Amino acid sequence: MKYGLNLLLWTTEVTPEHAPLLADIKRWGYDGAELPLFSGDEATGKRLGRMCDDAGLQRTGVTVCTPEVNPISDDPAARRAAVDHFRSILDCCAAAGIETLCGPLHSPLGQFTGKPRTDVEWGRAVEAIAAAGEHAADVGVTIAVEAINRFECYFLNSQMEVADFAAAVDRPAVGCMYDTFHANIEEKDPAAAIRHAAPHLRHVHISENDRSTPGEGQVRWDETFGALKEIGYDGWLVIEAFGLALPELAAATMIWRRMFSSEEALATNGLEFMKRRTA
């Protein structure tokens, strides 16, 4: 198992000023850092790769869609822009030495039609992610598509659905991820969802029901870790938590109060929790 920490706890863009933070993440005992990649190119990737190498960290990446780069849009230009965006981010990942790019690549966050997804939208997303998956294979990166709860998107909400989506895309470099925060909202049976996702599972986010320190809330951890052990999962476990460090990100993630004593306490306590549960 490999243990990572998502840098969205501190920033939406990793810059040279975050070098001491990367060193801290290594000192706390993590194997890798998960880097937010909302834009980027090969030059950006090389810089990020050097920073992580200097800290002795492996890395994964996370990205999102916006209305301008929307795989399910009615506008063909937005759909083409989405594929171009994914290719650029994947090139950045390859240059950075990022092995897995995760996130809700299927649709923009917070954009709703007031209706469930349509078959047309499903087909558009499959086509776009398949194209991205072919480029991912060319550059040696794996895509792990994320389901997001009903309050943040309407396209893929359950872990069952995202596994079926990965199967429909049917590209070797495309799989799905499991996020315990979203599963806590959407899944009646987390273990069944993990077992269903097993053939396509490429990444796991460890996130508490209140987005703070894993192990201190209401997520069904016994079932979650039991199912991951049952299917033989041995990839990344990455803590994704959010705080008040960035007002804009705090607002986007609906964090209105401080829920942990310090980022270091969250990181170290969360890592100890993951290692204890996977021992």
Side-chain angles (χ1 to χ4, degrees), residues 31-146:
D31 300 303
E34 190 154 278
L35 309 177
L37 295 172
F38 302 144
S39 62
D41 52 21
E42 289 188 50
T44 300
K46 289 179 180 178
R47 173 176 55 78
L48 292 172
R50 287 193 297 270
M51 289 175 62
C52 290
D53 284 341
D54 289 345
L57 290 171
Q58 299 175 58
R59 45 274 194 190
T60 59
V62 60
T63 194
V64 298
C65 297
T66 66
E68 295 75 27
V69 289
N70 179 1
I72 63 172
S73 174
D74 290 336
D75 182 0
R79 300 199 299 272
R80 290 192 298 270
V83 175
D84 290 342
H85 170 71
F86 296 148
R87 287 172 176 155
S88 176
I89 295 296
L90 288 163
D91 288 342
C92 182
C93 288
I98 287 171
E99 57 187 68
T100 303
L101 175 68
C102 69
L105 282 72
H106 45 78
S107 60
L109 295 176
Q111 188 173 63
F112 297 90
T113 64
K115 298 175 291 186
R117 68 166 185 264
T118 66
D119 291 342
V120 169
E121 290 172 328
W122 177 275
R124 289 169 177 169
V126 166
E127 181 180 1
I129 302 305
E134 290 168 4
H135 189 72
D138 289 342
V139 299
V141 178
T142 295
I143 294 172
V145 182
E146 180 178 14

Side-chain angles (χ1 to χ4, degrees), residues 199-215:
H200 308 286
L201 188 62
R202 303 291 182 268
H203 199 64
V204 175
H205 272 175
I206 299 297
S207 187
E208 194 51 88
N209 68 285
D210 64 355
R211 291 294 204 183
S212 64
T213 309

Side-chain angles (χ1 to χ4, degrees), residues 163-234:
D164 292 343
F165 179 79
V169 171
D170 193 23
R171 296 295 187 277
V174 177
C176 67
M177 61 170 288
Y178 187 89
D179 184 294
T180 61
F181 170 80
H182 299 297
N184 184 67
I185 296 172
E186 298 293 343
E187 302 305 327
K188 290 181 172 62
D189 187 341
I194 290 170
R195 287 193 292 267
H196 182 76
H200 308 286
L201 188 62
R202 303 291 182 268
H203 199 64
V204 175
H205 272 175
I206 299 297
S207 187
E208 194 51 88
N209 68 285
D210 64 355
R211 291 294 204 183
S212 64
T213 309
E216 297 182 0
Q218 300 175 7
V219 168
R220 290 155 68 175
W221 294 115
D222 289 344
E223 295 167 63
T224 299
F225 283 108
L228 290 172
K229 182 177 181 180
E230 178 187 333
I231 68 169
Y233 181 78
D234 193 33

